[in-house]
Amino acid sequence: MRTTIGYTVESIGYVIGAQGLVSFASQAFFGTEWGWLHKLAALPSAAYLGIAAAGLALVVAGVRTRKTPRREASA
């Protein structure tokens, strides 16, 4: 179960992080709106970097959850 949760959290983190980076880059460098975050709320460029950081935190949490194996007692 922990493996499934780790992969799920990690996958969600990748999507959120990518959307944050794409939204930041499009707004800061090109003056346009890419991705789907701008459809949810009008945010400044710095907020998109925060969203990307939140995605990175989810990726790290997912990897940590996934990499902690359960050890069974040997008889």
Side-chain angles (χ1 to χ4, degrees), residues 20-52:
L21 285 177
V22 165
S23 295
F24 170 76
S26 69
Q27 192 175 37
F29 300 120
F30 301 105
T32 61
E33 298 289 338
W34 298 342
W36 52 266
L37 286 177
H38 71 277
K39 295 180 181 186
L40 298 176
L43 299 173
S45 296
Y48 289 126
L49 285 179
I51 291 171

Side-chain angles (χ1 to χ4, degrees), residues 1-4 6 62-73:
M1 183 72 166
R2 292 172 63 141
T3 302
T4 304
V63 169
R64 275 204 187 141
T65 301
R66 184 169 42 99
K67 283 192 173 181
T68 53
R70 286 194 178 190
R71 300 198 182 222
E72 295 184 21

